[in-house]
Amino acid sequence: LLEFLSPRKSVFRIPVYQRRYEWTEEQVDQFFYDIERLALNQQLQGHFMGTVVFVKSSFPGMGSDYIIIDGQQRITTAFLLLKALFDSIEDEHTCIDIQDSYFENQNVEDAYKYKLISVEEDRRDFINLLVHRQSDRPSKIQMNYKRLLYLIQHSQASSEEIYEALQKIRIVYIELEQGRKEENPQVIFESLNSTGLSLTESDLIRNYLLMNEQPEKQEHL
C-alpha cells in the first residue's frame, strides 16, 4: 500500500462523480486493528487490505495522476492514519519521511501540491487537517482522524511499530487504460459496486455523465 502511495510527483485523485468519504468509526476501527495486529505479532508477514482500481494519466512536469475508480475509502483512511502517525511519532527523521513521501509534492504546480485530491468538500477538510491539524467544520475526515489518533495513543503498540506494520499492508491494484472499450471504467465501477451499500440514482447518473471526461472537464461540469 505505501509503495503505491509513495512515488514522487504523484497525486491520488478522487473524481467528482464519486461519493464523499463516508467510512464510520466501525470501518476505521477494523482498518486500524488489522494493522495493529501486525504490529503486535511479528510472525505475521502481512495483511491483504483489498483492491484499488485506477486510471493513470499525467500532469505537467512529468507527474502521475492516479484517478481512483474503486478503493477511495481505504486510500483516504490510509492518508488519515499517516497524518495521525505523523502527529504521534517523535522521531524527526521518520516524520520528515512521512511528510515528503505521502503528503506533499515538491516543484509542482499548486493544484498538485497535495498528494490526495478528494472531492471538493473533503479536499478542503483534508488540507486543513494537514496544515492546521483540524478542519474548520465537523466532517468525517476530521472525525476519523481524531479516532485514529485516539487508537494510536491507546494502542499496546508504539507509533513507530504501527508505522512499520502499515508498511506490511498489501493491496492488489488494477490499472485501466483510458479509452479502451474492453476496460470501460463505468462498467467496471458498476460491477465493483454491485454488492455492499447500493449507489443512489444520483450517484449512477453523475458517474455515467462524468466518468469519461478529463478531470478538468469533470470539475467544470
PDB file of all heavy atoms in Angstrom, residues 2 10 17 25 31 43 47 54 63-64 71 97 108-109 138 149 163 165-167 170 179 192 202 209-210:
ATOM      1  N   LEU A   2       1.842   1.309   0.920  1.00  0.00           N
ATOM      2  CA  LEU A   2       2.662   2.522   0.997  1.00  0.00           C
ATOM      3  C   LEU A   2       3.543   2.686  -0.223  1.00  0.00           C
ATOM      4  O   LEU A   2       3.816   3.809  -0.645  1.00  0.00           O
ATOM      5  CB  LEU A   2       3.508   2.509   2.280  1.00  0.00           C
ATOM      6  CG  LEU A   2       2.728   2.638   3.586  1.00  0.00           C
ATOM      7  CD1 LEU A   2       3.669   2.904   4.751  1.00  0.00           C
ATOM      8  CD2 LEU A   2       1.667   3.725   3.518  1.00  0.00           C
ATOM      9  N   SER A  10       3.263  12.500  -7.564  1.00  0.00           N
ATOM     10  CA  SER A  10       2.073  11.701  -7.855  1.00  0.00           C
ATOM     11  C   SER A  10       0.908  12.237  -7.034  1.00  0.00           C
ATOM     12  O   SER A  10       1.083  12.690  -5.898  1.00  0.00           O
ATOM     13  CB  SER A  10       2.316  10.221  -7.521  1.00  0.00           C
ATOM     14  OG  SER A  10       2.625  10.057  -6.152  1.00  0.00           O
ATOM     15  N   TYR A  17     -17.315  12.404  -9.635  1.00  0.00           N
ATOM     16  CA  TYR A  17     -18.512  11.562  -9.707  1.00  0.00           C
ATOM     17  C   TYR A  17     -18.559  10.542  -8.566  1.00  0.00           C
ATOM     18  O   TYR A  17     -19.546   9.844  -8.402  1.00  0.00           O
ATOM     19  CB  TYR A  17     -18.599  10.843 -11.062  1.00  0.00           C
ATOM     20  CG  TYR A  17     -17.363  10.095 -11.476  1.00  0.00           C
ATOM     21  CD1 TYR A  17     -17.038   8.870 -10.920  1.00  0.00           C
ATOM     22  CD2 TYR A  17     -16.520  10.621 -12.451  1.00  0.00           C
ATOM     23  CE1 TYR A  17     -15.904   8.189 -11.309  1.00  0.00           C
ATOM     24  CE2 TYR A  17     -15.380   9.941 -12.852  1.00  0.00           C
ATOM     25  CZ  TYR A  17     -15.081   8.723 -12.281  1.00  0.00           C
ATOM     26  OH  TYR A  17     -13.954   8.056 -12.665  1.00  0.00           O
ATOM     27  N   GLU A  25     -16.947   4.972  12.235  1.00  0.00           N
ATOM     28  CA  GLU A  25     -15.997   4.512  13.251  1.00  0.00           C
ATOM     29  C   GLU A  25     -15.788   3.002  13.173  1.00  0.00           C
ATOM     30  O   GLU A  25     -14.681   2.513  13.389  1.00  0.00           O
ATOM     31  CB  GLU A  25     -16.520   4.903  14.638  1.00  0.00           C
ATOM     32  CG  GLU A  25     -15.571   4.588  15.767  1.00  0.00           C
ATOM     33  CD  GLU A  25     -16.073   5.110  17.094  1.00  0.00           C
ATOM     34  OE1 GLU A  25     -16.183   6.344  17.248  1.00  0.00           O
ATOM     35  OE2 GLU A  25     -16.363   4.275  17.981  1.00  0.00           O
ATOM     36  N   PHE A  31     -10.014  -1.213  10.211  1.00  0.00           N
ATOM     37  CA  PHE A  31      -8.814  -0.864   9.446  1.00  0.00           C
ATOM     38  C   PHE A  31      -7.609  -0.791  10.369  1.00  0.00           C
ATOM     39  O   PHE A  31      -6.544  -1.360  10.095  1.00  0.00           O
ATOM     40  CB  PHE A  31      -9.053   0.475   8.742  1.00  0.00           C
ATOM     41  CG  PHE A  31      -7.922   0.973   7.894  1.00  0.00           C
ATOM     42  CD1 PHE A  31      -7.864   0.675   6.539  1.00  0.00           C
ATOM     43  CD2 PHE A  31      -6.905   1.759   8.429  1.00  0.00           C
ATOM     44  CE1 PHE A  31      -6.824   1.145   5.745  1.00  0.00           C
ATOM     45  CE2 PHE A  31      -5.862   2.234   7.650  1.00  0.00           C
ATOM     46  CZ  PHE A  31      -5.828   1.920   6.297  1.00  0.00           C
ATOM     47  N   GLN A  43       5.339 -12.400  13.853  1.00  0.00           N
ATOM     48  CA  GLN A  43       5.337 -13.579  12.989  1.00  0.00           C
ATOM     49  C   GLN A  43       4.464 -13.374  11.751  1.00  0.00           C
ATOM     50  O   GLN A  43       4.630 -14.066  10.745  1.00  0.00           O
ATOM     51  CB  GLN A  43       4.861 -14.813  13.768  1.00  0.00           C
ATOM     52  CG  GLN A  43       5.823 -15.234  14.876  1.00  0.00           C
ATOM     53  CD  GLN A  43       5.364 -16.497  15.572  1.00  0.00           C
ATOM     54  OE1 GLN A  43       4.191 -16.866  15.507  1.00  0.00           O
ATOM     55  NE2 GLN A  43       6.285 -17.168  16.252  1.00  0.00           N
ATOM     56  N   HIS A  47      -0.798  -8.317   5.600  1.00  0.00           N
ATOM     57  CA  HIS A  47      -2.259  -8.408   5.616  1.00  0.00           C
ATOM     58  C   HIS A  47      -2.796  -7.827   4.315  1.00  0.00           C
ATOM     59  O   HIS A  47      -2.381  -6.738   3.898  1.00  0.00           O
ATOM     60  CB  HIS A  47      -2.835  -7.641   6.810  1.00  0.00           C
ATOM     61  CG  HIS A  47      -4.334  -7.613   6.836  1.00  0.00           C
ATOM     62  ND1 HIS A  47      -5.096  -8.693   7.237  1.00  0.00           N
ATOM     63  CD2 HIS A  47      -5.226  -6.636   6.503  1.00  0.00           C
ATOM     64  CE1 HIS A  47      -6.378  -8.384   7.143  1.00  0.00           C
ATOM     65  NE2 HIS A  47      -6.476  -7.147   6.700  1.00  0.00           N
ATOM     66  N   PHE A  54      -7.715   2.011 -10.724  1.00  0.00           N
ATOM     67  CA  PHE A  54      -7.459   3.405 -11.093  1.00  0.00           C
ATOM     68  C   PHE A  54      -7.181   3.525 -12.582  1.00  0.00           C
ATOM     69  O   PHE A  54      -6.840   2.550 -13.262  1.00  0.00           O
ATOM     70  CB  PHE A  54      -6.274   3.969 -10.295  1.00  0.00           C
ATOM     71  CG  PHE A  54      -4.959   3.283 -10.577  1.00  0.00           C
ATOM     72  CD1 PHE A  54      -4.095   3.770 -11.550  1.00  0.00           C
ATOM     73  CD2 PHE A  54      -4.589   2.158  -9.870  1.00  0.00           C
ATOM     74  CE1 PHE A  54      -2.894   3.139 -11.820  1.00  0.00           C
ATOM     75  CE2 PHE A  54      -3.382   1.516 -10.124  1.00  0.00           C
ATOM     76  CZ  PHE A  54      -2.539   2.007 -11.101  1.00  0.00           C
ATOM     77  N   GLY A  63       4.433  14.442 -13.897  1.00  0.00           N
ATOM     78  CA  GLY A  63       3.791  13.854 -12.727  1.00  0.00           C
ATOM     79  C   GLY A  63       2.761  12.811 -13.118  1.00  0.00           C
ATOM     80  O   GLY A  63       2.289  12.774 -14.248  1.00  0.00           O
ATOM     81  N   SER A  64       2.405  11.951 -12.155  1.00  0.00           N
ATOM     82  CA  SER A  64       1.424  10.891 -12.392  1.00  0.00           C
ATOM     83  C   SER A  64       0.140  11.184 -11.633  1.00  0.00           C
ATOM     84  O   SER A  64       0.155  11.454 -10.433  1.00  0.00           O
ATOM     85  CB  SER A  64       1.987   9.534 -11.944  1.00  0.00           C
ATOM     86  OG  SER A  64       3.124   9.187 -12.700  1.00  0.00           O
ATOM     87  N   GLY A  71     -11.773   2.079  -4.307  1.00  0.00           N
ATOM     88  CA  GLY A  71     -10.817   1.998  -3.206  1.00  0.00           C
ATOM     89  C   GLY A  71     -10.585   3.311  -2.493  1.00  0.00           C
ATOM     90  O   GLY A  71      -9.690   3.413  -1.657  1.00  0.00           O
ATOM     91  N   ASP A  97      10.225  11.771   6.630  1.00  0.00           N
ATOM     92  CA  ASP A  97       9.984  10.757   5.604  1.00  0.00           C
ATOM     93  C   ASP A  97       8.504  10.670   5.256  1.00  0.00           C
ATOM     94  O   ASP A  97       8.133  10.606   4.076  1.00  0.00           O
ATOM     95  CB  ASP A  97      10.502   9.404   6.097  1.00  0.00           C
ATOM     96  CG  ASP A  97      10.259   8.296   5.081  1.00  0.00           C
ATOM     97  OD1 ASP A  97      10.795   8.393   3.962  1.00  0.00           O
ATOM     98  OD2 ASP A  97       9.523   7.344   5.408  1.00  0.00           O
ATOM     99  N   VAL A 108       6.042  21.375  -8.115  1.00  0.00           N
ATOM    100  CA  VAL A 108       4.891  21.148  -8.995  1.00  0.00           C
ATOM    101  C   VAL A 108       3.957  22.348  -8.875  1.00  0.00           C
ATOM    102  O   VAL A 108       4.087  23.175  -7.970  1.00  0.00           O
ATOM    103  CB  VAL A 108       4.127  19.850  -8.624  1.00  0.00           C
ATOM    104  CG1 VAL A 108       5.013  18.627  -8.806  1.00  0.00           C
ATOM    105  CG2 VAL A 108       3.589  19.908  -7.197  1.00  0.00           C
ATOM    106  N   GLU A 109       3.009  22.440  -9.796  1.00  0.00           N
ATOM    107  CA  GLU A 109       2.005  23.495  -9.705  1.00  0.00           C
ATOM    108  C   GLU A 109       1.182  23.317  -8.431  1.00  0.00           C
ATOM    109  O   GLU A 109       1.021  22.201  -7.923  1.00  0.00           O
ATOM    110  CB  GLU A 109       1.097  23.448 -10.935  1.00  0.00           C
ATOM    111  CG  GLU A 109       1.817  23.749 -12.238  1.00  0.00           C
ATOM    112  CD  GLU A 109       0.893  23.676 -13.443  1.00  0.00           C
ATOM    113  OE1 GLU A 109      -0.333  23.509 -13.236  1.00  0.00           O
ATOM    114  OE2 GLU A 109       1.387  23.772 -14.575  1.00  0.00           O
ATOM    115  N   PRO A 138     -17.158  20.302  11.340  1.00  0.00           N
ATOM    116  CA  PRO A 138     -17.232  18.852  11.565  1.00  0.00           C
ATOM    117  C   PRO A 138     -17.286  18.111  10.229  1.00  0.00           C
ATOM    118  O   PRO A 138     -17.937  18.543   9.290  1.00  0.00           O
ATOM    119  CB  PRO A 138     -18.553  18.685  12.337  1.00  0.00           C
ATOM    120  CG  PRO A 138     -18.886  20.035  12.864  1.00  0.00           C
ATOM    121  CD  PRO A 138     -18.321  21.026  11.895  1.00  0.00           C
ATOM    122  N   LEU A 149      -6.126   8.920  15.882  1.00  0.00           N
ATOM    123  CA  LEU A 149      -5.184   9.469  16.860  1.00  0.00           C
ATOM    124  C   LEU A 149      -5.440   8.842  18.226  1.00  0.00           C
ATOM    125  O   LEU A 149      -4.496   8.454  18.937  1.00  0.00           O
ATOM    126  CB  LEU A 149      -5.350  10.990  16.916  1.00  0.00           C
ATOM    127  CG  LEU A 149      -4.185  11.836  17.411  1.00  0.00           C
ATOM    128  CD1 LEU A 149      -2.922  11.582  16.600  1.00  0.00           C
ATOM    129  CD2 LEU A 149      -4.559  13.303  17.395  1.00  0.00           C
ATOM    130  N   TYR A 163       3.563   2.238  12.369  1.00  0.00           N
ATOM    131  CA  TYR A 163       4.035   2.708  11.063  1.00  0.00           C
ATOM    132  C   TYR A 163       4.757   1.589  10.317  1.00  0.00           C
ATOM    133  O   TYR A 163       4.564   1.407   9.109  1.00  0.00           O
ATOM    134  CB  TYR A 163       4.952   3.915  11.250  1.00  0.00           C
ATOM    135  CG  TYR A 163       5.515   4.470   9.967  1.00  0.00           C
ATOM    136  CD1 TYR A 163       4.677   4.800   8.900  1.00  0.00           C
ATOM    137  CD2 TYR A 163       6.887   4.660   9.809  1.00  0.00           C
ATOM    138  CE1 TYR A 163       5.191   5.319   7.715  1.00  0.00           C
ATOM    139  CE2 TYR A 163       7.409   5.181   8.641  1.00  0.00           C
ATOM    140  CZ  TYR A 163       6.557   5.502   7.596  1.00  0.00           C
ATOM    141  OH  TYR A 163       7.066   6.006   6.427  1.00  0.00           O
ATOM    142  N   ALA A 165       4.207  -1.583  10.736  1.00  0.00           N
ATOM    143  CA  ALA A 165       3.182  -2.563  10.361  1.00  0.00           C
ATOM    144  C   ALA A 165       2.407  -2.090   9.138  1.00  0.00           C
ATOM    145  O   ALA A 165       2.023  -2.900   8.277  1.00  0.00           O
ATOM    146  CB  ALA A 165       2.233  -2.801  11.529  1.00  0.00           C
ATOM    147  N   LEU A 166       2.187  -0.789   9.042  1.00  0.00           N
ATOM    148  CA  LEU A 166       1.473  -0.244   7.887  1.00  0.00           C
ATOM    149  C   LEU A 166       2.230  -0.549   6.595  1.00  0.00           C
ATOM    150  O   LEU A 166       1.621  -0.720   5.532  1.00  0.00           O
ATOM    151  CB  LEU A 166       1.292   1.264   8.061  1.00  0.00           C
ATOM    152  CG  LEU A 166       0.493   2.018   6.992  1.00  0.00           C
ATOM    153  CD1 LEU A 166      -0.905   1.424   6.825  1.00  0.00           C
ATOM    154  CD2 LEU A 166       0.398   3.495   7.343  1.00  0.00           C
ATOM    155  N   GLN A 167       3.539  -0.661   6.688  1.00  0.00           N
ATOM    156  CA  GLN A 167       4.349  -0.975   5.511  1.00  0.00           C
ATOM    157  C   GLN A 167       4.169  -2.423   5.060  1.00  0.00           C
ATOM    158  O   GLN A 167       4.596  -2.795   3.964  1.00  0.00           O
ATOM    159  CB  GLN A 167       5.820  -0.691   5.814  1.00  0.00           C
ATOM    160  CG  GLN A 167       6.075   0.789   6.117  1.00  0.00           C
ATOM    161  CD  GLN A 167       7.502   1.083   6.517  1.00  0.00           C
ATOM    162  OE1 GLN A 167       8.419   0.705   5.820  1.00  0.00           O
ATOM    163  NE2 GLN A 167       7.695   1.745   7.636  1.00  0.00           N
ATOM    164  N   ARG A 170      -0.843  -5.034   2.279  1.00  0.00           N
ATOM    165  CA  ARG A 170      -0.777  -5.346   0.847  1.00  0.00           C
ATOM    166  C   ARG A 170      -2.108  -5.041   0.180  1.00  0.00           C
ATOM    167  O   ARG A 170      -3.175  -5.206   0.769  1.00  0.00           O
ATOM    168  CB  ARG A 170      -0.430  -6.829   0.662  1.00  0.00           C
ATOM    169  CG  ARG A 170       0.926  -7.206   1.230  1.00  0.00           C
ATOM    170  CD  ARG A 170       1.115  -8.709   1.262  1.00  0.00           C
ATOM    171  NE  ARG A 170       2.422  -9.063   1.812  1.00  0.00           N
ATOM    172  CZ  ARG A 170       2.750 -10.289   2.213  1.00  0.00           C
ATOM    173  NH1 ARG A 170       1.865 -11.264   2.109  1.00  0.00           N
ATOM    174  NH2 ARG A 170       3.946 -10.531   2.705  1.00  0.00           N
ATOM    175  N   GLY A 179      -9.867   5.033 -22.426  1.00  0.00           N
ATOM    176  CA  GLY A 179     -10.293   4.952 -23.812  1.00  0.00           C
ATOM    177  C   GLY A 179     -10.427   3.553 -24.372  1.00  0.00           C
ATOM    178  O   GLY A 179     -10.955   3.382 -25.468  1.00  0.00           O
ATOM    179  N   LEU A 192     -18.002  -3.414  -9.597  1.00  0.00           N
ATOM    180  CA  LEU A 192     -17.388  -3.426  -8.281  1.00  0.00           C
ATOM    181  C   LEU A 192     -18.354  -2.977  -7.193  1.00  0.00           C
ATOM    182  O   LEU A 192     -18.211  -3.358  -6.034  1.00  0.00           O
ATOM    183  CB  LEU A 192     -16.157  -2.501  -8.272  1.00  0.00           C
ATOM    184  CG  LEU A 192     -14.958  -2.997  -9.074  1.00  0.00           C
ATOM    185  CD1 LEU A 192     -13.974  -1.861  -9.296  1.00  0.00           C
ATOM    186  CD2 LEU A 192     -14.277  -4.152  -8.362  1.00  0.00           C
ATOM    187  N   SER A 202     -28.752   9.233  -8.088  1.00  0.00           N
ATOM    188  CA  SER A 202     -27.925  10.408  -8.402  1.00  0.00           C
ATOM    189  C   SER A 202     -26.457  10.009  -8.537  1.00  0.00           C
ATOM    190  O   SER A 202     -25.735  10.562  -9.371  1.00  0.00           O
ATOM    191  CB  SER A 202     -28.089  11.488  -7.328  1.00  0.00           C
ATOM    192  OG  SER A 202     -27.672  11.019  -6.067  1.00  0.00           O
ATOM    193  N   LEU A 209     -22.423  10.369 -16.498  1.00  0.00           N
ATOM    194  CA  LEU A 209     -22.212  11.600 -17.269  1.00  0.00           C
ATOM    195  C   LEU A 209     -20.759  12.071 -17.232  1.00  0.00           C
ATOM    196  O   LEU A 209     -20.258  12.639 -18.199  1.00  0.00           O
ATOM    197  CB  LEU A 209     -23.113  12.715 -16.728  1.00  0.00           C
ATOM    198  CG  LEU A 209     -24.621  12.545 -16.970  1.00  0.00           C
ATOM    199  CD1 LEU A 209     -25.390  13.647 -16.267  1.00  0.00           C
ATOM    200  CD2 LEU A 209     -24.913  12.569 -18.466  1.00  0.00           C
ATOM    201  N   LEU A 210     -20.069  11.851 -16.122  1.00  0.00           N
ATOM    202  CA  LEU A 210     -18.767  12.487 -15.928  1.00  0.00           C
ATOM    203  C   LEU A 210     -17.570  11.569 -16.099  1.00  0.00           C
ATOM    204  O   LEU A 210     -16.461  12.037 -16.372  1.00  0.00           O
ATOM    205  CB  LEU A 210     -18.704  13.109 -14.525  1.00  0.00           C
ATOM    206  CG  LEU A 210     -19.740  14.181 -14.200  1.00  0.00           C
ATOM    207  CD1 LEU A 210     -19.524  14.713 -12.800  1.00  0.00           C
ATOM    208  CD2 LEU A 210     -19.692  15.313 -15.207  1.00  0.00           C
TER     209      LEU A 210
END
